[in-house]
Amino acid sequence: MANYSTNEFKGGLKVMLDGDPCAILENEYVKPGKGQAFNRVKLRNLISGRVWERTFKSGESLEGADVLELEMEYLYTDGEMWHFMKTDGSFEQYAVEKKALGDTEKWLKEQVAYTVTLWNDNAINVNPPNFIELEVVETDPGLKGDTAQGGSKPATLSSGAVVRVPLFINQGEVLKIDTRNGEYVSRA
């Protein structure tokens, strides 16, 4: 894999650090009045999800991480593993462990494309699309004239996630949810 010098660091770059693949979240070039310039870099470990800051002297380099980010469709779960399929026509399937799913588990819906990060042909991370449409399976009925302002109530979705929704939402409706912050956007 290629080596990246500190002047090539940018957000989104995938590098190897301490034997693990990491993604650069932020990179700040610092040139103090006295002394050598350095880069203050915020990194996320792609396996554990840990985020931390580290400084690199100007001119240092890191090896690029051999990771692939592929669009894959969620198929099913067998209780232990979650199965995804490539959407490029090869129909190749990958089994994903619970620790690679993380918080994405509550946004899983069959036949929806997710971004799966592969390292050494193993899935290490799954990211949901920014918006997903899910059905309300349980919520309290909204009563006419409950509030003058827009109130909200909890609703359980078909994936198991619980989100706050406006009072006019009823059971059986399909909602558009923002997966980045878990908030209701609109009816689908």
Side-chain angles (χ1 to χ4, degrees):
M1 226 31 226
N3 279 349
Y4 296 103
S5 177
T6 51
N7 62 351
E8 297 174 296
F9 286 2
K10 61 181 184 277
L13 186 68
K14 310 285 191 293
V15 294
M16 291 297 290
L17 191 63
D18 301 330
D20 284 342
C22 299
I24 294 177
L25 301 176
E26 294 173 17
N27 176 44
E28 180 186 2
Y29 177 74
V30 180
K31 175 75 174 100
K34 190 176 187 182
Q36 188 179 5
F38 62 90
N39 287 54
R40 188 175 297 128
V41 181
K42 189 182 255 186
L43 300 139
R44 177 191 293 121
N45 185 316
L46 292 175
I47 295 174
S48 67
R50 191 184 117 206
V51 176
W52 78 100
E53 270 191 17
R54 190 151 166 187
T55 57
F56 296 94
K57 289 183 201 161
S58 193
E60 278 190 74
S61 64
L62 289 175
E63 183 185 350
D66 188 19
V67 295
L68 286 171
E69 288 189 342
L70 300 171
E71 287 291 314
M72 291 193 195
E73 187 178 299
Y74 172 62
L75 298 175
Y76 65 94
T77 180
D78 60 15
E80 289 181 24
M81 304 291 259
W82 286 259
H83 298 271
F84 290 82
M85 177 182 69
K86 280 187 179 179
T87 56
D88 61 3
S90 69
F91 305 109
E92 193 174 336
Q93 291 187 20
Y94 286 87
V96 177
E97 295 178 352
K98 183 167 179 62
K99 74 174 189 179
L101 273 181
D103 290 342
T104 305
E105 183 179 1
K106 65 183 177 185
W107 305 119
L108 288 179
K109 181 180 176 186
E110 292 177 358
Q111 299 175 347
V112 172
Y114 294 80
T115 305
V116 179
T117 305
L118 299 174
W119 180 57
N120 291 345
D121 220 28
N122 293 322
I124 57 171
N125 194 5
V126 178
N127 290 319
N130 290 342
F131 299 99
I132 193 162
E133 294 179 2
L134 295 167
E135 184 181 345
V136 176
V137 292
E138 186 183 326
T139 188
D140 297 330
L143 301 173
K144 200 167 198 165
D146 261 352
T147 62
Q149 277 27 5
S152 66
K153 61 184 178 179
T156 305
L157 305 175
S158 57
S159 65
V162 177
V163 296
R164 302 289 301 172
V165 298
L167 294 171
F168 59 81
I169 298 296
N170 294 313
Q171 198 166 314
E173 292 189 56
V174 178
L175 307 180
K176 184 176 185 180
I177 306 294
D178 186 338
T179 59
R180 296 167 290 191
N181 53 20
E183 292 180 3
Y184 162 86
V185 177
S186 66
R187 288 177 171 158

